[in-house]
mmCIF file with all atom_site columns, all heavy atoms in Angstrom:
data_model
loop_
_atom_site.group_PDB
_atom_site.id
_atom_site.type_symbol
_atom_site.label_atom_id
_atom_site.label_alt_id
_atom_site.label_comp_id
_atom_site.label_asym_id
_atom_site.label_entity_id
_atom_site.label_seq_id
_atom_site.pdbx_PDB_ins_code
_atom_site.Cartn_x
_atom_site.Cartn_y
_atom_site.Cartn_z
_atom_site.occupancy
_atom_site.B_iso_or_equiv
_atom_site.pdbx_formal_charge
_atom_site.auth_seq_id
_atom_site.auth_comp_id
_atom_site.auth_asym_id
_atom_site.auth_atom_id
_atom_site.pdbx_PDB_model_num
ATOM 1   N N   . ALA K 1 1  ? 0.751   4.805  -5.948  1.00 0.00 ? 1  ALA K N   1
ATOM 2   C CA  . ALA K 1 1  ? -0.177  5.752  -5.309  1.00 0.00 ? 1  ALA K CA  1
ATOM 3   C C   . ALA K 1 1  ? -0.834  6.591  -6.379  1.00 0.00 ? 1  ALA K C   1
ATOM 4   O O   . ALA K 1 1  ? -0.285  7.364  -7.030  1.00 0.00 ? 1  ALA K O   1
ATOM 5   C CB  . ALA K 1 1  ? 0.432   6.605  -4.274  1.00 0.00 ? 1  ALA K CB  1
ATOM 6   N N   . GLU K 1 2  ? -2.238  6.395  -6.426  1.00 0.00 ? 2  GLU K N   1
ATOM 7   C CA  . GLU K 1 2  ? -3.007  7.132  -7.478  1.00 0.00 ? 2  GLU K CA  1
ATOM 8   C C   . GLU K 1 2  ? -3.691  8.290  -6.856  1.00 0.00 ? 2  GLU K C   1
ATOM 9   O O   . GLU K 1 2  ? -3.938  8.371  -5.627  1.00 0.00 ? 2  GLU K O   1
ATOM 10  C CB  . GLU K 1 2  ? -4.052  6.248  -8.129  1.00 0.00 ? 2  GLU K CB  1
ATOM 11  C CG  . GLU K 1 2  ? -3.550  5.020  -8.821  1.00 0.00 ? 2  GLU K CG  1
ATOM 12  C CD  . GLU K 1 2  ? -4.167  3.737  -8.380  1.00 0.00 ? 2  GLU K CD  1
ATOM 13  O OE1 . GLU K 1 2  ? -4.582  3.629  -7.176  1.00 0.00 ? 2  GLU K OE1 1
ATOM 14  O OE2 . GLU K 1 2  ? -4.327  2.830  -9.296  1.00 0.00 ? 2  GLU K OE2 1
ATOM 15  N N   . SER K 1 3  ? -3.921  9.390  -7.629  1.00 0.00 ? 3  SER K N   1
ATOM 16  C CA  . SER K 1 3  ? -4.705  10.514 -7.217  1.00 0.00 ? 3  SER K CA  1
ATOM 17  C C   . SER K 1 3  ? -5.266  11.149 -8.416  1.00 0.00 ? 3  SER K C   1
ATOM 18  O O   . SER K 1 3  ? -4.934  10.886 -9.529  1.00 0.00 ? 3  SER K O   1
ATOM 19  C CB  . SER K 1 3  ? -3.742  11.520 -6.553  1.00 0.00 ? 3  SER K CB  1
ATOM 20  O OG  . SER K 1 3  ? -2.708  12.035 -7.450  1.00 0.00 ? 3  SER K OG  1
ATOM 21  N N   . GLY K 1 4  ? -6.228  12.079 -8.173  1.00 0.00 ? 4  GLY K N   1
ATOM 22  C CA  . GLY K 1 4  ? -6.938  12.851 -9.284  1.00 0.00 ? 4  GLY K CA  1
ATOM 23  C C   . GLY K 1 4  ? -8.280  12.405 -9.598  1.00 0.00 ? 4  GLY K C   1
ATOM 24  O O   . GLY K 1 4  ? -8.882  13.161 -10.395 1.00 0.00 ? 4  GLY K O   1
ATOM 25  N N   . GLY K 1 5  ? -8.723  11.360 -9.070  1.00 0.00 ? 5  GLY K N   1
ATOM 26  C CA  . GLY K 1 5  ? -10.093 10.922 -9.368  1.00 0.00 ? 5  GLY K CA  1
ATOM 27  C C   . GLY K 1 5  ? -11.102 11.926 -8.711  1.00 0.00 ? 5  GLY K C   1
ATOM 28  O O   . GLY K 1 5  ? -10.778 12.765 -7.811  1.00 0.00 ? 5  GLY K O   1
ATOM 29  N N   . GLY K 1 6  ? -12.300 11.806 -9.131  1.00 0.00 ? 6  GLY K N   1
ATOM 30  C CA  . GLY K 1 6  ? -13.405 12.715 -8.659  1.00 0.00 ? 6  GLY K CA  1
ATOM 31  C C   . GLY K 1 6  ? -14.629 12.706 -9.504  1.00 0.00 ? 6  GLY K C   1
ATOM 32  O O   . GLY K 1 6  ? -14.820 11.782 -10.375 1.00 0.00 ? 6  GLY K O   1
ATOM 33  N N   . LEU K 1 7  ? -15.552 13.754 -9.279  1.00 0.00 ? 7  LEU K N   1
ATOM 34  C CA  . LEU K 1 7  ? -16.740 13.851 -10.002 1.00 0.00 ? 7  LEU K CA  1
ATOM 35  C C   . LEU K 1 7  ? -16.574 14.915 -10.941 1.00 0.00 ? 7  LEU K C   1
ATOM 36  O O   . LEU K 1 7  ? -16.087 16.044 -10.648 1.00 0.00 ? 7  LEU K O   1
ATOM 37  C CB  . LEU K 1 7  ? -17.835 14.253 -8.999  1.00 0.00 ? 7  LEU K CB  1
ATOM 38  C CG  . LEU K 1 7  ? -19.118 14.559 -9.606  1.00 0.00 ? 7  LEU K CG  1
ATOM 39  C CD1 . LEU K 1 7  ? -19.731 13.261 -10.341 1.00 0.00 ? 7  LEU K CD1 1
ATOM 40  C CD2 . LEU K 1 7  ? -20.199 14.991 -8.540  1.00 0.00 ? 7  LEU K CD2 1
ATOM 41  N N   . VAL K 1 8  ? -17.085 14.685 -12.239 1.00 0.00 ? 8  VAL K N   1
ATOM 42  C CA  . VAL K 1 8  ? -16.952 15.624 -13.181 1.00 0.00 ? 8  VAL K CA  1
ATOM 43  C C   . VAL K 1 8  ? -18.240 15.510 -14.152 1.00 0.00 ? 8  VAL K C   1
ATOM 44  O O   . VAL K 1 8  ? -18.697 14.377 -14.359 1.00 0.00 ? 8  VAL K O   1
ATOM 45  C CB  . VAL K 1 8  ? -15.679 15.563 -14.070 1.00 0.00 ? 8  VAL K CB  1
ATOM 46  C CG1 . VAL K 1 8  ? -15.613 14.162 -14.790 1.00 0.00 ? 8  VAL K CG1 1
ATOM 47  C CG2 . VAL K 1 8  ? -15.393 16.647 -15.086 1.00 0.00 ? 8  VAL K CG2 1
ATOM 48  N N   . GLN K 1 9  ? -18.595 16.529 -14.742 1.00 0.00 ? 9  GLN K N   1
ATOM 49  C CA  . GLN K 1 9  ? -19.805 16.488 -15.678 1.00 0.00 ? 9  GLN K CA  1
ATOM 50  C C   . GLN K 1 9  ? -19.239 16.078 -17.035 1.00 0.00 ? 9  GLN K C   1
ATOM 51  O O   . GLN K 1 9  ? -18.088 16.097 -17.400 1.00 0.00 ? 9  GLN K O   1
ATOM 52  C CB  . GLN K 1 9  ? -20.312 18.058 -15.897 1.00 0.00 ? 9  GLN K CB  1
ATOM 53  C CG  . GLN K 1 9  ? -21.178 18.471 -14.725 1.00 0.00 ? 9  GLN K CG  1
ATOM 54  C CD  . GLN K 1 9  ? -21.959 19.771 -15.073 1.00 0.00 ? 9  GLN K CD  1
ATOM 55  O OE1 . GLN K 1 9  ? -21.428 20.558 -15.862 1.00 0.00 ? 9  GLN K OE1 1
ATOM 56  N NE2 . GLN K 1 9  ? -23.107 19.806 -14.580 1.00 0.00 ? 9  GLN K NE2 1
ATOM 57  N N   . ALA K 1 10 ? -20.130 15.490 -17.806 1.00 0.00 ? 10 ALA K N   1
ATOM 58  C CA  . ALA K 1 10 ? -19.937 14.949 -19.129 1.00 0.00 ? 10 ALA K CA  1
ATOM 59  C C   . ALA K 1 10 ? -19.311 16.155 -19.953 1.00 0.00 ? 10 ALA K C   1
ATOM 60  O O   . ALA K 1 10 ? -19.821 17.269 -19.893 1.00 0.00 ? 10 ALA K O   1
ATOM 61  C CB  . ALA K 1 10 ? -21.126 14.482 -19.746 1.00 0.00 ? 10 ALA K CB  1
ATOM 62  N N   . GLY K 1 11 ? -18.296 15.918 -20.653 1.00 0.00 ? 11 GLY K N   1
ATOM 63  C CA  . GLY K 1 11 ? -17.513 16.891 -21.487 1.00 0.00 ? 11 GLY K CA  1
ATOM 64  C C   . GLY K 1 11 ? -16.469 17.495 -20.641 1.00 0.00 ? 11 GLY K C   1
ATOM 65  O O   . GLY K 1 11 ? -15.621 18.326 -21.328 1.00 0.00 ? 11 GLY K O   1
ATOM 66  N N   . GLY K 1 12 ? -16.400 17.281 -19.303 1.00 0.00 ? 12 GLY K N   1
ATOM 67  C CA  . GLY K 1 12 ? -15.254 17.869 -18.632 1.00 0.00 ? 12 GLY K CA  1
ATOM 68  C C   . GLY K 1 12 ? -14.055 17.090 -18.648 1.00 0.00 ? 12 GLY K C   1
ATOM 69  O O   . GLY K 1 12 ? -13.829 16.107 -19.400 1.00 0.00 ? 12 GLY K O   1
ATOM 70  N N   . SER K 1 13 ? -13.091 17.455 -17.829 1.00 0.00 ? 13 SER K N   1
ATOM 71  C CA  . SER K 1 13 ? -11.729 16.901 -17.798 1.00 0.00 ? 13 SER K CA  1
ATOM 72  C C   . SER K 1 13 ? -11.192 16.504 -16.351 1.00 0.00 ? 13 SER K C   1
ATOM 73  O O   . SER K 1 13 ? -11.592 17.216 -15.404 1.00 0.00 ? 13 SER K O   1
ATOM 74  C CB  . SER K 1 13 ? -10.752 17.723 -18.428 1.00 0.00 ? 13 SER K CB  1
ATOM 75  O OG  . SER K 1 13 ? -11.044 18.011 -19.792 1.00 0.00 ? 13 SER K OG  1
ATOM 76  N N   . LEU K 1 14 ? -10.409 15.573 -16.227 1.00 0.00 ? 14 LEU K N   1
ATOM 77  C CA  . LEU K 1 14 ? -9.710  15.125 -15.176 1.00 0.00 ? 14 LEU K CA  1
ATOM 78  C C   . LEU K 1 14 ? -8.323  14.655 -15.433 1.00 0.00 ? 14 LEU K C   1
ATOM 79  O O   . LEU K 1 14 ? -8.069  14.145 -16.558 1.00 0.00 ? 14 LEU K O   1
ATOM 80  C CB  . LEU K 1 14 ? -10.394 13.996 -14.363 1.00 0.00 ? 14 LEU K CB  1
ATOM 81  C CG  . LEU K 1 14 ? -11.634 14.314 -13.622 1.00 0.00 ? 14 LEU K CG  1
ATOM 82  C CD1 . LEU K 1 14 ? -12.340 13.006 -13.101 1.00 0.00 ? 14 LEU K CD1 1
ATOM 83  C CD2 . LEU K 1 14 ? -11.410 15.196 -12.375 1.00 0.00 ? 14 LEU K CD2 1
ATOM 84  N N   . ARG K 1 15 ? -7.486  14.790 -14.516 1.00 0.00 ? 15 ARG K N   1
ATOM 85  C CA  . ARG K 1 15 ? -6.020  14.356 -14.728 1.00 0.00 ? 15 ARG K CA  1
ATOM 86  C C   . ARG K 1 15 ? -5.701  13.430 -13.532 1.00 0.00 ? 15 ARG K C   1
ATOM 87  O O   . ARG K 1 15 ? -5.728  13.857 -12.371 1.00 0.00 ? 15 ARG K O   1
ATOM 88  C CB  . ARG K 1 15 ? -5.043  15.527 -14.720 1.00 0.00 ? 15 ARG K CB  1
ATOM 89  C CG  . ARG K 1 15 ? -3.668  15.163 -14.953 1.00 0.00 ? 15 ARG K CG  1
ATOM 90  C CD  . ARG K 1 15 ? -2.766  16.360 -15.164 1.00 0.00 ? 15 ARG K CD  1
ATOM 91  N NE  . ARG K 1 15 ? -1.375  16.078 -15.304 1.00 0.00 ? 15 ARG K NE  1
ATOM 92  C CZ  . ARG K 1 15 ? -0.822  15.754 -16.509 1.00 0.00 ? 15 ARG K CZ  1
ATOM 93  N NH1 . ARG K 1 15 ? -1.473  15.836 -17.564 1.00 0.00 ? 15 ARG K NH1 1
ATOM 94  N NH2 . ARG K 1 15 ? 0.476   15.517 -16.680 1.00 0.00 ? 15 ARG K NH2 1
ATOM 95  N N   . LEU K 1 16 ? -5.410  12.194 -13.861 1.00 0.00 ? 16 LEU K N   1
ATOM 96  C CA  . LEU K 1 16 ? -4.974  11.171 -12.970 1.00 0.00 ? 16 LEU K CA  1
ATOM 97  C C   . LEU K 1 16 ? -3.538  11.119 -12.887 1.00 0.00 ? 16 LEU K C   1
ATOM 98  O O   . LEU K 1 16 ? -2.793  11.242 -13.834 1.00 0.00 ? 16 LEU K O   1
ATOM 99  C CB  . LEU K 1 16 ? -5.531  9.922  -13.271 1.00 0.00 ? 16 LEU K CB  1
ATOM 100 C CG  . LEU K 1 16 ? -7.017  9.709  -13.559 1.00 0.00 ? 16 LEU K CG  1
ATOM 101 C CD1 . LEU K 1 16 ? -7.390  8.252  -13.720 1.00 0.00 ? 16 LEU K CD1 1
ATOM 102 C CD2 . LEU K 1 16 ? -7.881  10.272 -12.223 1.00 0.00 ? 16 LEU K CD2 1
ATOM 103 N N   . SER K 1 17 ? -2.983  10.901 -11.763 1.00 0.00 ? 17 SER K N   1
ATOM 104 C CA  . SER K 1 17 ? -1.549  10.772 -11.449 1.00 0.00 ? 17 SER K CA  1
ATOM 105 C C   . SER K 1 17 ? -1.258  9.541  -10.619 1.00 0.00 ? 17 SER K C   1
ATOM 106 O O   . SER K 1 17 ? -2.089  9.066  -9.809  1.00 0.00 ? 17 SER K O   1
ATOM 107 C CB  . SER K 1 17 ? -0.965  11.938 -10.830 1.00 0.00 ? 17 SER K CB  1
ATOM 108 O OG  . SER K 1 17 ? -1.128  13.155 -11.624 1.00 0.00 ? 17 SER K OG  1
ATOM 109 N N   . CYS K 1 18 ? -0.090  8.917  -10.909 1.00 0.00 ? 18 CYS K N   1
ATOM 110 C CA  . CYS K 1 18 ? 0.329   7.764  -10.163 1.00 0.00 ? 18 CYS K CA  1
ATOM 111 C C   . CYS K 1 18 ? 1.770   7.772  -9.928  1.00 0.00 ? 18 CYS K C   1
ATOM 112 O O   . CYS K 1 18 ? 2.545   8.008  -10.907 1.00 0.00 ? 18 CYS K O   1
ATOM 113 C CB  . CYS K 1 18 ? -0.046  6.414  -10.907 1.00 0.00 ? 18 CYS K CB  1
ATOM 114 S SG  . CYS K 1 18 ? 0.602   4.931  -10.293 1.00 0.00 ? 18 CYS K SG  1
ATOM 115 N N   . ALA K 1 19 ? 2.160   7.756  -8.718  1.00 0.00 ? 19 ALA K N   1
ATOM 116 C CA  . ALA K 1 19 ? 3.636   7.719  -8.387  1.00 0.00 ? 19 ALA K CA  1
ATOM 117 C C   . ALA K 1 19 ? 4.088   6.396  -7.879  1.00 0.00 ? 19 ALA K C   1
ATOM 118 O O   . ALA K 1 19 ? 3.430   5.873  -6.804  1.00 0.00 ? 19 ALA K O   1
ATOM 119 C CB  . ALA K 1 19 ? 3.883   8.774  -7.317  1.00 0.00 ? 19 ALA K CB  1
ATOM 120 N N   . ALA K 1 20 ? 5.089   5.798  -8.291  1.00 0.00 ? 20 ALA K N   1
ATOM 121 C CA  . ALA K 1 20 ? 5.696   4.585  -7.829  1.00 0.00 ? 20 ALA K CA  1
ATOM 122 C C   . ALA K 1 20 ? 6.761   4.929  -6.784  1.00 0.00 ? 20 ALA K C   1
ATOM 123 O O   . ALA K 1 20 ? 7.604   5.822  -7.016  1.00 0.00 ? 20 ALA K O   1
ATOM 124 C CB  . ALA K 1 20 ? 6.213   3.701  -9.010  1.00 0.00 ? 20 ALA K CB  1
ATOM 125 N N   . SER K 1 21 ? 6.762   4.116  -5.717  1.00 0.00 ? 21 SER K N   1
ATOM 126 C CA  . SER K 1 21 ? 7.823   4.313  -4.743  1.00 0.00 ? 21 SER K CA  1
ATOM 127 C C   . SER K 1 21 ? 8.183   2.995  -4.130  1.00 0.00 ? 21 SER K C   1
ATOM 128 O O   . SER K 1 21 ? 7.515   1.959  -4.344  1.00 0.00 ? 21 SER K O   1
ATOM 129 C CB  . SER K 1 21 ? 7.236   5.264  -3.594  1.00 0.00 ? 21 SER K CB  1
ATOM 130 O OG  . SER K 1 21 ? 6.154   4.703  -3.016  1.00 0.00 ? 21 SER K OG  1
ATOM 131 N N   . GLY K 1 22 ? 9.236   2.908  -3.362  1.00 0.00 ? 22 GLY K N   1
ATOM 132 C CA  . GLY K 1 22 ? 9.680   1.714  -2.727  1.00 0.00 ? 22 GLY K CA  1
ATOM 133 C C   . GLY K 1 22 ? 10.993  1.151  -3.371  1.00 0.00 ? 22 GLY K C   1
ATOM 134 O O   . GLY K 1 22 ? 11.707  1.947  -3.916  1.00 0.00 ? 22 GLY K O   1
ATOM 135 N N   . ARG K 1 23 ? 11.053  -0.128 -3.332  1.00 0.00 ? 23 ARG K N   1
ATOM 136 C CA  . ARG K 1 23 ? 12.268  -0.695 -3.978  1.00 0.00 ? 23 ARG K CA  1
ATOM 137 C C   . ARG K 1 23 ? 12.156  -0.790 -5.456  1.00 0.00 ? 23 ARG K C   1
ATOM 138 O O   . ARG K 1 23 ? 11.318  -1.714 -5.975  1.00 0.00 ? 23 ARG K O   1
ATOM 139 C CB  . ARG K 1 23 ? 12.423  -2.103 -3.450  1.00 0.00 ? 23 ARG K CB  1
ATOM 140 C CG  . ARG K 1 23 ? 13.851  -2.724 -3.611  1.00 0.00 ? 23 ARG K CG  1
ATOM 141 C CD  . ARG K 1 23 ? 14.147  -3.827 -2.703  1.00 0.00 ? 23 ARG K CD  1
ATOM 142 N NE  . ARG K 1 23 ? 13.342  -5.079 -3.111  1.00 0.00 ? 23 ARG K NE  1
ATOM 143 C CZ  . ARG K 1 23 ? 13.538  -6.256 -2.721  1.00 0.00 ? 23 ARG K CZ  1
ATOM 144 N NH1 . ARG K 1 23 ? 14.633  -6.522 -1.909  1.00 0.00 ? 23 ARG K NH1 1
ATOM 145 N NH2 . ARG K 1 23 ? 12.818  -7.269 -2.971  1.00 0.00 ? 23 ARG K NH2 1
ATOM 146 N N   . ILE K 1 24 ? 12.743  0.090  -6.190  1.00 0.00 ? 24 ILE K N   1
ATOM 147 C CA  . ILE K 1 24 ? 12.612  0.123  -7.621  1.00 0.00 ? 24 ILE K CA  1
ATOM 148 C C   . ILE K 1 24 ? 14.050  0.328  -8.240  1.00 0.00 ? 24 ILE K C   1
ATOM 149 O O   . ILE K 1 24 ? 14.810  1.117  -7.871  1.00 0.00 ? 24 ILE K O   1
ATOM 150 C CB  . ILE K 1 24 ? 11.765  1.361  -8.019  1.00 0.00 ? 24 ILE K CB  1
ATOM 151 C CG1 . ILE K 1 24 ? 10.321  1.254  -7.438  1.00 0.00 ? 24 ILE K CG1 1
ATOM 152 C CG2 . ILE K 1 24 ? 11.704  1.520  -9.558  1.00 0.00 ? 24 ILE K CG2 1
ATOM 153 C CD1 . ILE K 1 24 ? 9.566   2.577  -7.582  1.00 0.00 ? 24 ILE K CD1 1
ATOM 154 N N   . PHE K 1 25 ? 14.356  -0.607 -9.134  1.00 0.00 ? 25 PHE K N   1
ATOM 155 C CA  . PHE K 1 25 ? 15.586  -0.486 -9.885  1.00 0.00 ? 25 PHE K CA  1
ATOM 156 C C   . PHE K 1 25 ? 15.322  0.250  -11.241 1.00 0.00 ? 25 PHE K C   1
ATOM 157 O O   . PHE K 1 25 ? 15.901  1.187  -11.575 1.00 0.00 ? 25 PHE K O   1
ATOM 158 C CB  . PHE K 1 25 ? 16.212  -1.869 -10.111 1.00 0.00 ? 25 PHE K CB  1
ATOM 159 C CG  . PHE K 1 25 ? 17.338  -1.744 -11.072 1.00 0.00 ? 25 PHE K CG  1
ATOM 160 C CD1 . PHE K 1 25 ? 18.533  -1.201 -10.681 1.00 0.00 ? 25 PHE K CD1 1
ATOM 161 C CD2 . PHE K 1 25 ? 17.308  -2.469 -12.352 1.00 0.00 ? 25 PHE K CD2 1
ATOM 162 C CE1 . PHE K 1 25 ? 19.592  -1.156 -11.596 1.00 0.00 ? 25 PHE K CE1 1
ATOM 163 C CE2 . PHE K 1 25 ? 18.400  -2.382 -13.145 1.00 0.00 ? 25 PHE K CE2 1
ATOM 164 C CZ  . PHE K 1 25 ? 19.549  -1.714 -12.802 1.00 0.00 ? 25 PHE K CZ  1
ATOM 165 N N   . ILE K 1 26 ? 14.166  -0.253 -11.918 1.00 0.00 ? 26 ILE K N   1
ATOM 166 C CA  . ILE K 1 26 ? 13.759  0.299  -13.223 1.00 0.00 ? 26 ILE K CA  1
ATOM 167 C C   . ILE K 1 26 ? 12.202  -0.026 -13.482 1.00 0.00 ? 26 ILE K C   1
ATOM 168 O O   . ILE K 1 26 ? 11.737  -1.113 -13.001 1.00 0.00 ? 26 ILE K O   1
ATOM 169 C CB  . ILE K 1 26 ? 14.703  -0.146 -14.400 1.00 0.00 ? 26 ILE K CB  1
ATOM 170 C CG1 . ILE K 1 26 ? 14.454  0.808  -15.656 1.00 0.00 ? 26 ILE K CG1 1
ATOM 171 C CG2 . ILE K 1 26 ? 14.433  -1.570 -14.657 1.00 0.00 ? 26 ILE K CG2 1
ATOM 172 C CD1 . ILE K 1 26 ? 15.488  0.508  -16.717 1.00 0.00 ? 26 ILE K CD1 1
ATOM 173 N N   . ILE K 1 27 ? 11.655  0.908  -14.152 1.00 0.00 ? 27 ILE K N   1
ATOM 174 C CA  . ILE K 1 27 ? 10.210  0.679  -14.465 1.00 0.00 ? 27 ILE K CA  1
ATOM 175 C C   . ILE K 1 27 ? 10.120  0.525  -15.956 1.00 0.00 ? 27 ILE K C   1
ATOM 176 O O   . ILE K 1 27 ? 10.519  1.455  -16.691 1.00 0.00 ? 27 ILE K O   1
ATOM 177 C CB  . ILE K 1 27 ? 9.301   1.799  -14.015 1.00 0.00 ? 27 ILE K CB  1
ATOM 178 C CG1 . ILE K 1 27 ? 9.346   1.944  -12.484 1.00 0.00 ? 27 ILE K CG1 1
ATOM 179 C CG2 . ILE K 1 27 ? 7.796   1.650  -14.433 1.00 0.00 ? 27 ILE K CG2 1
ATOM 180 C CD1 . ILE K 1 27 ? 8.605   3.151  -11.912 1.00 0.00 ? 27 ILE K CD1 1
ATOM 181 N N   . ASN K 1 28 ? 9.495   -0.547 -16.438 1.00 0.00 ? 28 ASN K N   1
ATOM 182 C CA  . ASN K 1 28 ? 9.328   -0.758 -17.842 1.00 0.00 ? 28 ASN K CA  1
ATOM 183 C C   . ASN K 1 28 ? 7.992   -0.077 -18.286 1.00 0.00 ? 28 ASN K C   1
ATOM 184 O O   . ASN K 1 28 ? 7.857   1.144  -18.181 1.00 0.00 ? 28 ASN K O   1
ATOM 185 C CB  . ASN K 1 28 ? 9.363   -2.220 -18.218 1.00 0.00 ? 28 ASN K CB  1
ATOM 186 C CG  . ASN K 1 28 ? 9.547   -2.340 -19.708 1.00 0.00 ? 28 ASN K CG  1
ATOM 187 O OD1 . ASN K 1 28 ? 9.755   -1.549 -20.512 1.00 0.00 ? 28 ASN K OD1 1
ATOM 188 N ND2 . ASN K 1 28 ? 9.167   -3.588 -20.150 1.00 0.00 ? 28 ASN K ND2 1
ATOM 189 N N   . ASP K 1 29 ? 7.047   -0.823 -18.645 1.00 0.00 ? 29 ASP K N   1
ATOM 190 C CA  . ASP K 1 29 ? 5.751   -0.364 -19.130 1.00 0.00 ? 29 ASP K CA  1
ATOM 191 C C   . ASP K 1 29 ? 4.890   0.136  -17.926 1.00 0.00 ? 29 ASP K C   1
ATOM 192 O O   . ASP K 1 29 ? 5.034   -0.433 -16.767 1.00 0.00 ? 29 ASP K O   1
ATOM 193 C CB  . ASP K 1 29 ? 4.967   -1.333 -19.867 1.00 0.00 ? 29 ASP K CB  1
ATOM 194 C CG  . ASP K 1 29 ? 5.581   -1.765 -21.126 1.00 0.00 ? 29 ASP K CG  1
ATOM 195 O OD1 . ASP K 1 29 ? 6.474   -1.105 -21.648 1.00 0.00 ? 29 ASP K OD1 1
ATOM 196 O OD2 . ASP K 1 29 ? 5.027   -2.778 -21.736 1.00 0.00 ? 29 ASP K OD2 1
ATOM 197 N N   . MET K 1 30 ? 4.091   1.202  -18.209 1.00 0.00 ? 30 MET K N   1
ATOM 198 C CA  . MET K 1 30 ? 3.263   1.744  -17.161 1.00 0.00 ? 30 MET K CA  1
ATOM 199 C C   . MET K 1 30 ? 1.854   1.925  -17.919 1.00 0.00 ? 30 MET K C   1
ATOM 200 O O   . MET K 1 30 ? 1.827   2.050  -19.143 1.00 0.00 ? 30 MET K O   1
ATOM 201 C CB  . MET K 1 30 ? 3.601   3.103  -16.574 1.00 0.00 ? 30 MET K CB  1
ATOM 202 C CG  . MET K 1 30 ? 5.047   2.992  -15.910 1.00 0.00 ? 30 MET K CG  1
ATOM 203 S SD  . MET K 1 30 ? 5.465   4.559  -14.974 1.00 0.00 ? 30 MET K SD  1
ATOM 204 C CE  . MET K 1 30 ? 4.512   4.288  -13.558 1.00 0.00 ? 30 MET K CE  1
#
């Protein structure tokens, strides 16, 4: 599940987040 997208002016900042859920034993690369 991703979040944090939106509209920003050039030179600005945004922070995207992603949360994994469900049947998970271990996560390697992201």
